[in-house]
Amino acid sequence: METDMQRRSAVVDLGSNSVRLVVFEGVSRNPLPIFNEKAVLRLGRGLTTTGRLNDEGVGMAMEVLSRFHAIARAMQADPFEVLATAAVRDATNGPAFVEMLRQSMPGVPVRILSGKEEADHSAIGVMCGIPGADGLVADVGGGSLELIHLTETGRHDATTLPLGMIRLADRCEGDLDVAKQLTDQDIDGVEWLSRVRGQPLYLVGGAFRALARLQIARTQYPLNIVHYYTLDVQEAREMTGWLQNSSRRSLERLPGAPRKRLDDIPFAAVVLRRLMKKIQPSKIVFCVDGLREGWYMMNVAPSYLPQDPMESVARDMCARFGRSNTLPEILWTWTGCIKQNETAEEQHLRRIACWLSDIGSHDHPEYRAEQTYLRILRVQGAGFDHRARVWLSLALAVRYSVDMSAPALMPSFTLLSDEERRDAVACGLALRLAYSLSGGAGSLLEGTSLAWDGAELVLTLTSTRVAVKGESVRRGLDRLGQALGVQTRFEVELAV
């Protein structure tokens, strides 16, 4: 019998510029793509002047969709659905094209999303990838720009504008000054945008992701991860100015430059710059989750959306790589005194660290610390912002006695403040001490306690079952005290 983790689902995102098939495995809080393939069709090229889908693109689409259909069926994906967006929605021959697709793929739903439906799918994708997102979502495609207001109470005020990269380039005939005027006119017509002034701006879509990739390469940012990449307004203004004034040749020289997107870059920069001028956002956050992940959460795993995505990933990794599913909760309680006046965010990171604390148990001991660091740093999972990645990576590498001069730790030393690094190191040392005490057995750890006695940190033995006289335990307690800048003491209080 098929389990939730064995179940597969698939969606085709048929856009104005490209078509993409994503096959997801399992039913969980964090969509897990196991197949992801894109083909550039440019279906929307010329739509502004002809009103029709590009003939060459239609022919290519029929071939590509036939292949995608075969792959999804061979992988036994169910549900499997095709979502068509702006170009198909707006073209006079769009309905006829959809009918051709339905005939070539019997039984496969092919849906033409309205602009508001497209925005809604993208907003749910952002909620999937960035829990607690509150602000304006801007999803740019080839044919349209979807805007939607996200708040704690839900999704509001969805609007679609003809500012997709292909359509804007056609409308302005390649003139960036005209593109600025058209963008301003369209954006100024969205009355509700005044309500999101000063809030975060979340960017979704391939052209926006390309901006992030180029900025990451140009600034030698230490994490080559677009999701949750965040810029302040000044940084984003400087970036858009640079991109509008850079030649294609200069952009091509950057490592990892998205060559197929370079023609879109100036127009994406224009749209972002004009949006920023309109709403004066508090920050700009790039999100890789959008329409396809929104479809997954709506159609495959709707009941999972309220879950904490970070804890969900951490629990999954604990189940796959760790030795105990009960020890993390004991560790969470045991390490609770490490930082006094701990904030809710700091508590959350420490809780995730407890769940991840044994994921290197089966790795080679010579590489365990670095492997754990990189595994967490590069984990594919929603909800991990860049600070969380580098904090958790450092804490768990310290738990495995990492060499603090190791070059691999550079992202943590670059992106964390001195205080944040000290907190991560202290958490890692506390976890190392806990494993020295217990060997990973929760029943043994429960025979000890760690608590403050004034300004002194005291490790107390309360059970005869625990042998803590080893040098490694005393050394671990000393190191923890040194990291915290406090004196430590070891006591034995056995019940009579």
Side-chain angles (χ1 to χ4, degrees), residues 232-309:
D232 62 33
V233 174
Q234 173 111 16
E235 290 171 328
R237 281 202 192 103
E238 194 277 334
M239 176 191 73
T240 55
W242 161 62
L243 289 170
Q244 288 179 60
N245 294 300
S246 295
S247 67
R248 180 186 175 102
R249 179 171 294 182
S250 66
L251 296 180
E252 285 177 339
R253 295 194 190 104
L254 290 169
R259 293 176 179 272
K260 292 182 179 179
R261 288 284 183 184
L262 291 183
D263 290 338
D264 298 335
I265 292 300
F267 301 103
V270 163
V271 171
L272 174 55
R273 186 73 169 259
R274 311 323 285 178
L275 261 180
M276 290 169 54
K277 180 182 177 183
K278 179 71 175 180
I279 71 165
Q280 296 295 305
S282 58
K283 61 182 177 180
I284 290 83
V285 184
F286 292 88
C287 180
V288 301
D289 292 339
L291 182 144
R292 296 176 292 273
E293 290 74 21
W295 173 88
Y296 174 90
M297 297 311 299
M298 294 170 70
N299 293 275
V300 180
S303 63
Y304 288 76
L305 190 58
Q307 294 181 3
D308 175 359

Side-chain angles (χ1 to χ4, degrees), residues 155-167:
R155 308 177 299 280
H156 312 277
D157 304 315
T159 299
T160 185
L161 299 174
L163 293 174
M165 296 299 93
I166 294 177
R167 187 170 297 186

